[in-house]
Amino acid sequence: MSLPAVIVFPEGPAASLTVGGLHPANRQVIDLYHLGVRAFYLVGDLQAVAPDTFVRVPGEARIHAASCPDTRHLARCIQSIPDLSGDMLWVRGDCIIDPRLLAEVLNRKMPHWIRIPHTADATLPAAARLTPEMLEAWNRQTMGFWVRGGAELRPESVDDYSPSHRGNVPVYVMPAGTPEAAAAASRALIRSAQKKVLDLPARILDPLFENRLVLALCRTRISPNQVTLFTMALGLIISLLFLKGYLRLGSLLAYAVEVLDGVDGKLARTKLQFSRLGEMEHVFDFFMEQAWYLCITWYLFSSTGNGTILWTGAGFMACDLADRLLYYLVHVRAGKELDELGRFERAFRLIGGRRNIYMWIFLFGFWGGSPLGALAVNLVWAMVTVAVHGTCVAYRLSRPKPHRA
């Protein structure tokens, strides 16, 4: 059975601040629930805690309140809670703590504590696994009881690889007890939501717009699903624009889709608002992209009567489909993305044939007055991409697995 969690609300404005659209304590409840915690105790000056502080809390989570207006006696207040007779997880409600750190504290048998960055030992930690003996020492006003009672868990000691981000994401602990700190934590949280395996436009250019949009949307009630549905509708409009020959306008709006495609995912990871629609978004993306390529090909054919364009477009779409099948094969055989097979695959992802790269080629071709040339270039690059990926897959999957002693 998992430990109960005690979330402490300190004095000051922290009780009314949000980070990434959620109160830090709300974020901790959701994160800890997914780590197996079911019982939560809110301790501190709860008068400043708004009724709508906790949203999207799973029904099985049991939240209890223990008001302690004088936060100098937090230990005594915690001791007075009958259900807290054994070890517990202490978490400050004015900090943002990486779930990977919280998981480490929960999983380790011996008491550990997590320091707030750039603070002394006498400062109450961001989180700690407390024993009844440590709680009694705290009640006796023994400062630094957590230092003598447990070991410090440093963020750099935790594996920073994140499967959902497909790369290494620094483990974080951030204070959020002042408006300035909360704003800085929001920006840092959004940056940490960036996936690591991306093409050049998505890595260099898109975050300039994505992060600002996500930060603005975090202050609203707009959900990631609403962003996804808007993106889907815009994708259908772009297909019609391509079909009618508005290639330049369509290519500009396609870049808007490129940005929004990153916004909904970042918004979901920042606000911890996941859904089935978000998980299935890649299916719509595939059909939307194929519809764009088909509409562009058909318009160029119908406006010129050149049958070679049909073969060029069909070859381009076939290569793109073949590349998707290679990704699926690697996912089934290796349990990971093709881009994660090795350093070369990760580097080639920067320029490999994908929607963003293809649409930038179309953008330059359409605005440069050479739409047929852009389609031909995309066909060639799609063939190169399939050849490179096919070779990588054949090499990686044919290698014998390392023998385990």
Side-chain angles (χ1 to χ4, degrees):
M1 191 170 86
S2 182
L3 298 178
V6 176
I7 301 177
V8 176
F9 286 78
E11 296 176 322
S16 60
L17 298 175
T18 61
V19 174
L22 288 175
H23 189 283
N26 191 174
R27 185 178 302 278
Q28 290 160 3
V29 168
I30 296 174
D31 285 336
L32 288 170
Y33 178 86
H34 291 301
L35 294 174
V37 178
R38 294 296 180 267
F40 301 88
Y41 297 85
L42 312 181
V43 181
D45 185 4
L46 304 182
Q47 294 182 352
V49 180
D52 60 347
T53 294
F54 293 89
V55 297
R56 298 192 299 278
V57 175
E60 295 180 15
R62 303 185 305 276
I63 300 180
H64 312 275
S67 181
C68 185
D70 189 350
T71 54
R72 294 174 299 176
H73 303 297
L74 284 173
R76 189 178 304 168
C77 292
I78 296 173
Q79 283 183 316
S80 67
I81 300 175
D83 296 335
L84 297 178
S85 57
D87 288 6
M88 69 193 71
L89 177 67
W90 146 287
V91 184
R92 287 184 58 145
D94 61 347
C95 288
I96 301 298
I97 307 171
D98 196 304
R100 293 169 291 182
L101 273 177
L102 295 174
E104 286 290 326
V105 175
L106 287 171
N107 292 333
R108 297 190 179 191
K109 300 300 181 183
M110 297 297 294
H112 282 74
W113 57 281
I114 303 171
R115 184 193 302 271
I116 300 176
H118 314 299
T119 59
D121 289 347
T123 304
L124 288 175
R129 179 176 181 137
L130 299 184
T131 64
E133 294 75 19
M134 295 170 69
L135 191 61
E136 178 59 30
W138 182 16
N139 190 33
R140 294 196 303 266
Q141 303 297 323
T142 305
M143 297 306 294
F145 65 90
W146 49 89
V147 178
R148 290 183 287 275
E152 181 180 358
L153 177 61
R154 297 180 179 274
E156 58 268 22
S157 68
V158 177
D159 182 12
D160 65 355
Y161 181 79
S162 172
S164 61
H165 293 73
R166 292 188 289 167
N168 299 91
V169 180
V171 180
Y172 54 81
V173 180
M174 297 178 285
T178 65
E180 296 77 16
S186 292
R187 293 190 293 270
L189 205 60
I190 291 170
R191 289 194 299 270
S192 71
Q194 179 76 50
K195 289 191 174 181
K196 301 303 177 182
V197 181
L198 299 166
D199 49 51
L200 277 176
R203 173 173 291 189
I204 298 175
L205 182 61
D206 297 356
L208 299 176
F209 305 100
E210 292 174 357
N211 294 350
R212 287 171 172 79
L213 280 172
V214 173
L215 184 61
L217 292 175
C218 280
R219 305 188 185 106
T220 72
R221 294 182 178 272
I222 296 176
S223 69
N225 278 352
Q226 290 172 319
V227 177
T228 300
L229 291 173
F230 176 80
T231 305
M232 290 179 177
L234 184 57
L236 293 175
I237 293 173
I238 293 171
S239 297
L240 294 176
L241 289 174
F242 284 147
L243 189 62
K244 296 296 183 180
Y246 296 99
L247 303 182
R248 293 180 174 179
L249 176 59
S251 62
L252 290 177
L253 292 178
Y255 179 69
V257 168
E258 178 180 325
V259 172
L260 291 173
D261 200 35
V263 167
D264 56 2
K266 282 186 178 179
L267 187 63
R269 290 186 290 275
T270 302
K271 298 179 74 172
L272 303 181
Q273 200 169 0
F274 305 102
S275 68
R276 183 63 175 168
L277 177 61
E279 294 175 357
M280 297 301 297
E281 182 190 5
H282 66 281
V283 177
F284 173 80
D285 286 345
F286 170 75
F287 287 106
M288 178 188 69
E289 293 161 19
Q290 296 300 312
W292 289 0
Y293 307 152
L294 178 61
C295 290
I296 291 172
T297 300
W298 184 256
Y299 169 75
L300 294 177
F301 164 72
S302 61
S303 60
T304 62
N306 186 349
T308 304
I309 295 175
L310 290 179
W311 289 105
T312 303
F316 169 46
M317 294 173 65
C319 288
D320 185 61
L321 176 60
D323 195 51
R324 298 299 185 98
L325 293 176
L326 287 173
Y327 273 85
Y328 178 74
L329 174 63
V330 173
H331 180 74
V332 172
R333 292 281 301 276
K336 60 175 68 175
E337 294 293 324
L338 190 156
D339 307 313
E340 298 177 273
L341 289 178
R343 291 184 178 179
F344 174 81
E345 290 85 352
R346 187 179 290 268
F348 185 73
R349 177 69 167 83
L350 294 171
I351 59 172
R354 299 276 288 191
R355 181 193 67 196
N356 290 352
I357 299 296
Y358 294 143
M359 293 313 301
W360 274 98
I361 293 174
F362 276 132
L363 180 70
F364 285 115
F366 295 161
W367 285 88
S370 183
L372 298 180
L375 182 61
V377 170
N378 274 334
L379 169 61
V380 172
W381 194 235
M383 293 171 65
V384 170
T385 299
V386 170
V388 170
H389 282 164
T391 303
C392 291
V393 170
Y395 172 71
R396 299 289 187 185
L397 297 186
S398 63
R399 297 176 65 187
K401 294 183 179 180
H403 176 70
R404 293 184 178 180

